[in-house]
Amino acid sequence: MQNDIILQVNNLSTIFKTERGKFKAVDGVDFFVKRGEILGIVGESGCGKSVTVQSIMRLYDEKRTAIYGGEVLFKGKNLFSLPYKEMRKIRGAQISMVFQDALSALNPLMKVGNQIMEAIQIHTNADKKTAMALGIEMLRQVGIPTPEKRFHQYPFELSGGMRQRVMIAIALACKPKLLIADEPTTALDVTIQAQILELMKKLNQEMEMGILLITHDLAVVSETCQRVLVMYLGQVVEEGTTEKIFSYPCHPYTISLLESIPTMEGDRSQKLSTIKGTVPLLSQIPTGCRFAPRCPRAKEKCRQEMPKLVPVNETQCVRCWYPNERNED
């Protein structure tokens, strides 16, 4: 229902200002996130996933670095039209973000407890004693053992998994309505990855918040997300329910991503499937379909004309002149 939508992104664009000119890193992105829903954004490195979510938070310097376009409606308010001070009040309180490298994101000179308390006291009227009690409780909620002890430790004294849990505790301290998780399990071992993802799913259900999960790991998406956006070179090339995307992928890029996942079945002497070429630089965006130079099914029309994102059924859209014909609804 419309009332369940907490984030609506309309025609989002982000242009970076550099010494070599202006380059559009995000181009015409549309999506929404519902309360209690986990939406996955997938694609190769350089496809614009992180730029998209950091643009939503307005993290780039708007005077010297970036130009934003389109609308980002959070609970009906356009975040791009808010004064900067008003935007700062929303960050961390109503929209929080978990970054992929906790060791870089956490302040190495501050004890983790003080960093949680800082987030609480900036956005609430809590005194020091209340903030400390809440900080310890947040560490307990995210599954850190002996939270009273860990509260007084520095980031370097914690393991990678614990640091990531601290990041989640900071992000959730003010009970946000939307959590953005940018590659939250990168560089963690498989066991810790599973624990972090299970924790996010648990908190998502308990707090009924929306989650935007950015990842390049399709296995994580299949286990965690209800819907998926597939991005390529700053554009959404396919979107739909997780079930549809994984069962009936339409775009050649989505198909190639799924085919590149290693399996335990088949002939072990056979080479793994790969996507030829690499994601082009923003200064070298091709004419027509952006995936055409790497697409095994590209025709002349693909190289000349940009396709629009159009529905192929009730739960799936695709940006392709010749979408996969296997998809039937």
Side-chain angles (χ1 to χ4, degrees):
M1 293 177 63
Q2 191 67 27
N3 292 340
D4 290 333
I5 295 176
I6 56 172
L7 182 73
Q8 177 82 52
V9 176
N10 299 321
N11 198 30
L12 172 66
S13 68
T14 303
I15 298 172
F16 287 128
K17 295 181 277 188
T18 73
E19 293 178 353
R20 293 180 294 161
K22 296 178 180 179
F23 300 101
K24 187 175 284 190
V26 176
D27 186 6
V29 169
D30 300 285
F31 65 87
F32 63 88
V33 183
K34 293 181 180 180
R35 183 184 295 111
E37 176 185 51
I38 304 179
L39 173 67
I41 303 182
V42 301
E44 294 168 281
S45 296
C47 283
K49 307 184 300 297
S50 294
V51 176
T52 295
V53 295
Q54 291 184 33
S55 297
I56 290 169
M57 298 277 281
R58 287 172 62 184
L59 294 182
Y60 299 112
D61 187 332
E62 295 172 48
K63 291 183 179 178
R64 293 175 293 179
T65 306
I67 302 170
Y68 300 124
E71 280 186 326
V72 176
L73 302 174
F74 176 69
K75 298 198 300 185
K77 284 184 180 178
N78 183 7
L79 300 184
F80 286 173
S81 66
L82 294 180
Y84 189 71
K85 286 185 178 180
E86 194 70 27
M87 188 66 208
R88 288 190 64 184
K89 292 178 183 178
I90 290 175
R91 287 196 208 113
Q94 298 185 59
I95 305 176
S96 289
M97 190 163 181
V98 178
F99 295 91
Q100 57 180 297
D101 185 358
L103 192 57
S104 297
L106 292 170
N107 187 333
L109 303 179
M110 283 180 70
K111 293 176 180 178
V112 296
N114 290 339
Q115 296 187 56
I116 301 173
M117 287 175 60
E118 183 180 58
I120 294 168
Q121 291 185 295
I122 284 174
H123 296 291
T124 69
N125 297 320
D127 56 29
K128 186 175 180 180
K129 184 178 179 181
T130 304
M132 180 181 289
L134 181 55
I136 292 171
E137 179 56 30
M138 288 308 303
L139 290 178
R140 184 177 287 110
Q141 279 191 32
V142 297
I144 291 183
T146 59
E148 294 84 1
K149 176 186 174 183
R150 304 297 182 187
F151 188 87
H152 298 287
Q153 291 183 321
Y154 290 93
F156 70 85
E157 297 179 275
L158 306 179
S159 67
M162 281 192 182
R163 287 195 293 265
Q164 203 62 38
R165 289 171 188 267
V166 169
M167 284 291 298
I168 294 173
I170 293 171
L172 299 182
C174 297
K175 295 181 170 51
K177 299 299 181 185
L178 178 68
L179 176 67
I180 298 173
D182 189 358
E183 303 274 11
T185 58
T186 295
L188 300 177
D189 64 57
V190 177
T191 305
I192 302 300
Q193 281 187 27
Q195 292 174 1
I196 295 294
L197 291 169
E198 198 56 43
L199 169 65
M200 290 179 61
K201 285 165 64 177
K202 175 175 174 286
L203 295 172
N204 168 248
Q205 293 168 0
E206 290 177 355
M207 300 174 67
E208 286 193 327
M209 64 181 173
I211 294 182
L212 253 178
L213 176 63
I214 290 82
T215 182
H216 60 267
D217 191 333
L218 293 171
V220 167
V221 171
S222 67
E223 293 291 327
T224 310
C225 304
Q226 287 85 50
R227 290 189 302 113
V228 185
L229 291 182
V230 182
M231 288 192 67
Y232 185 78
L233 202 53
Q235 293 183 327
V236 175
V237 295
E238 187 163 2
E239 66 170 297
T241 61
T242 304
E243 182 182 4
K244 271 291 184 186
I245 294 291
F246 278 77
S247 300
Y248 301 105
C250 289
H251 198 282
Y253 181 60
T254 310
I255 295 168
S256 298
L257 286 176
L258 292 171
E259 287 178 346
S260 66
I261 301 174
T263 66
M264 299 297 290
E265 303 170 356
D267 185 358
R268 296 187 65 181
S269 65
Q270 190 173 9
K271 290 184 178 180
L272 294 174
S273 176
T274 61
I275 307 174
K276 71 173 185 177
T278 58
V279 180
L281 299 174
L282 292 177
S283 58
Q284 300 172 350
I285 293 176
T287 305
C289 174
R290 297 186 175 185
F291 188 59
R294 305 174 68 190
C295 181
R297 294 189 288 153
K299 297 180 172 62
E300 191 58 31
K301 184 176 184 179
C302 305
R303 298 182 181 92
Q304 299 297 328
E305 298 179 46
M306 169 67 70
K308 293 182 179 179
L309 190 69
V310 295
V312 289
N313 55 57
E314 291 182 358
T315 60
Q316 199 170 0
C317 296
V318 66
R319 187 189 297 275
C320 183
W321 291 117
Y322 307 102
N324 183 20
E325 295 176 357
R326 289 181 302 166
N327 186 64
E328 295 177 0
D329 193 282

